[in-house]
Each structure stands twice: as structure tokens, then as C-alpha cells.
Amino acid sequence: MMNLQVTRKIKCDFTAEQWGLYTHSFPYSETANIARDLNESLEVLFNDPNNTKGHVLMKMMDELKRFRNYGAADSEPMYFLEHVVNELYGK
């Protein structure tokens, strides 16, 4: 008998533009830091094997709402997040 275990790890480096943040309304250093925070949150959530696709989406939606003043709760960042999570977990 053989038992194969696969460990998945991601490292995200999405930009503020990719996240769809308001890069023209705020200093780029601010939006870049928010993008970094979103990337780190996604990494931690996905890299925890106990988290399901639904859990990751729910927690990341909370993260996007946290940065709503920077446009993170708009439809573009939410669509981007859904696309990335679908790529990671499959549809």
C-alpha cells in the first residue's frame, strides 16, 4: 500500500492594480502595502490545509471589506479574488 500526500504552498505577489485598488486616488505606497497585506492573507489562508475553498473566499471577502476605502470591496477586486481562488481550488 502507498499513501501519497501532496502539500500545496503559494506565494502571492499581486500588485495593487491587479487587486483593483484605487491606485490613482491614494499614494502608491499605501495601496502597495494593502496589496501586500491581501497577498499575505491569501497565502496564509490557502496554505493552511484545513481551510476549504469556501472558507478562504469568506475570510478574504472580510479582508477586502476591511480596505473598502481603497476600493477593495468593489466588484473588480471581488471578481479578481474569485478568479484566483477558482484557479487554486478549481471551479
Side-chain angles (χ1 to χ4, degrees):
M1 182 169 145
M2 181 188 327
N3 186 5
L4 176 64
Q5 289 184 323
V6 177
T7 302
R8 304 174 305 167
K9 294 273 184 188
I10 61 165
K11 176 73 177 133
C12 299
D13 195 25
F14 299 120
T15 65
E17 289 86 2
Q18 288 173 300
W19 278 109
L21 302 178
Y22 295 157
T23 56
H24 298 294
S25 301
F26 295 94
Y28 191 77
S29 60
E30 278 184 59
T31 57
N33 285 337
I34 291 167
R36 187 196 69 235
D37 290 347
L38 292 170
N39 289 332
E40 288 175 2
S41 294
L42 183 56
E43 290 170 10
V44 167
L45 287 166
F46 180 78
N47 291 337
D48 181 344
N50 297 313
N51 288 334
T52 64
K53 177 181 178 180
H55 182 79
V56 171
L57 271 174
M58 182 182 67
K59 290 299 187 183
M60 283 303 298
M61 290 290 188
D62 290 344
E63 286 296 300
L64 292 177
K65 289 174 187 171
R66 226 179 79 190
F67 298 112
R68 70 176 27 133
N69 291 346
Y70 294 90
D74 290 358
S75 59
E76 293 87 356
M78 290 188 180
Y79 175 78
F80 178 74
L81 171 63
E82 287 177 13
H83 175 75
V84 169
V85 171
N86 283 335
E87 288 292 317
L88 294 171
Y89 286 95
K91 293 189 178 196

